[in-house]
Amino acid sequence: MKNTVVTFRNAKNHEKLAMLTAYDYTMAKLMDQSGVNALLVGDSLGMVMLGYESTLAVTMADMVHHCAAVSRGVKEALVVCDMPFMSYQSSVYDAVVNAGRLVKEGGAEAVKLEGGDAFCPHVKAIVQASIPVMAHLGLTPQSVNALGGYKVQGKSAEDAQRLVDDARKLEDAGAFAILLECVPAALAAFVRERVSVPVIGIGSGAGCDGQVLVYQDMLGMYDKMTPKFVKRFASIGDAMKQAFAAYVEEVKTGRFPAEEHAFSMKDEIIGKLY
Ligand code: KIV
């Protein structure tokens, strides 16, 4: 069954939501066939797909390109696309125009943006344009320079209260879900009880309404940074390296390709060639 923002709304207090990042057609199709509720075309693609040190260099063109590929692979999951750094911070107008591009050109069914109170006008305006918005609080990677690194957020009473207030304001602004990244489990559970929209956690404990993971992390494909909250569900990176090495070995020793991998033609035709 097709997942929509209504599925998300109805899942609250009834069913946990499972979300994964996706950046290309093949992966999106595999994930879609595995029953995932939503695929996030995260700007994490800057790091795990494009090799940047952070998400800051990711452009609208990158997001549109990857979101369109994901959308082509999906039948049932809700496609949520990240708004990249500086595609919405500059103005409410830019936020609406760029959210619209992700929908029109990328096939996104919802967008995600990072930030609290200060971005409620942006969320409101995008929602008014009939584009659902997932809000992202806690560790917001686009603010890595302002936060001084990738650290757990909301540990002090003041920070925790601000996060709770931000979550309420974002819900009032029309966000259909709130993503909490790297906040203490007790705080995430507190927020979850105080808002009526689903709270999706990453590194925020089991008390959320759903979870999201970056697929390269959960499949053991990205070893530059492995956050504590990641559970490795398979070691695909190792399996891939083994397969690549076996291929190299077989090419070099002439065992691949074998006869069954080649196409034949009549000997008399070859015999006529000069
Ligand atoms: O960009 C991304 O993949 C994200 C996840 C970390 C939630 O925002």
Side-chain angles (χ1 to χ4, degrees), residues 2 25 28-29 32 39 69-79 109:
K2 177 65 191 159
Y25 168 82
K29 198 167 173 192
D32 191 60
L39 293 183
V70 167
S71 299
R72 287 191 286 269
V74 165
K75 283 205 172 87
E76 299 198 347
L78 176 74
V79 178
E109 294 161 321

Side-chain angles (χ1 to χ4, degrees), residues 115-161:
D117 189 22
F119 292 96
C120 285
H122 306 62
V123 171
K124 221 179 221 167
I126 298 171
V127 171
Q128 232 157 42
S130 300
I131 301 171
V133 178
M134 178 178 284
H136 183 156
L137 290 173
L139 172 56
T140 45
Q142 292 177 16
S143 305
V144 61
N145 292 325
L147 297 173
Y150 298 104
K151 298 174 187 164
V152 177
Q153 301 295 310
K155 280 179 131 178
S156 70
E158 195 189 348
D159 288 352
Q161 189 57 58

Side-chain angles (χ1 to χ4, degrees), residues 2 10 27-28 42 46 62 80 104 112 118 133 144 167 174 185 189 193 206 228 240 250 269:
K2 177 65 191 159
N10 292 342
M27 270 295 174
D62 292 331
V80 183
K104 282 174 86 94
K112 174 165 83 59
V133 178
V144 61
E193 280 179 12
K228 166 187 154 78
M240 286 170 88
E250 291 201 15
I269 295 179

Side-chain angles (χ1 to χ4, degrees), residues 32-242:
D32 191 60
Q33 290 167 351
S34 308
V36 71
N37 294 105
L39 293 183
L40 170 65
V41 187
D43 61 353
S44 50
L45 77 84
M47 297 166 83
V48 295
M49 300 297 286
L50 305 178
Y52 298 136
E53 291 297 323
S54 74
T55 61
L56 300 181
V58 176
T59 63
M60 273 298 296
D62 292 331
M63 296 309 297
V64 165
H65 180 70
H66 285 269
C67 190
V70 167
S71 299
R72 287 191 286 269
V74 165
K75 283 205 172 87
E76 299 198 347
L78 176 74
V79 178
V80 183
C81 188
D82 259 342
M83 300 200 68
F85 184 53
M86 280 303 142
S87 68
Y88 61 96
Q89 287 92 340
S90 40
S91 69
V92 170
Y93 176 82
D94 285 350
V96 177
V97 169
N98 285 318
R101 276 195 67 195
L102 296 175
V103 173
K104 282 174 86 94
E105 299 172 43
E109 294 161 321
V111 299
K112 174 165 83 59
L113 59 83
E114 299 179 7
D117 189 22
F119 292 96
C120 285
H122 306 62
V123 171
K124 221 179 221 167
I126 298 171
V127 171
Q128 232 157 42
S130 300
I131 301 171
V133 178
M134 178 178 284
H136 183 156
L137 290 173
L139 172 56
T140 45
Q142 292 177 16
S143 305
V144 61
N145 292 325
L147 297 173
Y150 298 104
K151 298 174 187 164
V152 177
Q153 301 295 310
K155 280 179 131 178
S156 70
E158 195 189 348
D159 288 352
Q161 189 57 58
R162 190 180 320 115
L163 193 135
V164 174
D165 294 344
D166 279 348
R168 287 192 179 117
K169 287 176 188 166
L170 286 160
E171 177 183 12
D172 288 347
F176 79 95
I178 294 170
L179 187 145
L180 291 184
E181 178 166 357
C182 280
V183 308
L187 175 58
F190 187 89
V191 171
R192 187 225 158 263
E193 280 179 12
R194 267 106 199 128
V195 294
S196 62
V197 294
V199 170
I200 309 297
I202 175 163
S204 299
C208 300
D209 298 302
Q211 298 291 327
V212 61
L213 280 177
V214 171
Y215 85 76
Q216 284 87 346
D217 289 339
M218 56 92 76
L219 294 182
M221 296 171 70
Y222 182 78
D223 55 12
K224 234 172 154 179
M225 198 195 279
T226 310
K228 166 187 154 78
F229 59 77
V230 169
K231 176 172 173 179
R232 201 174 262 199
F233 284 80
S235 292
I236 302 296
D238 289 340
M240 286 170 88
K241 277 194 265 182
Q242 272 172 28

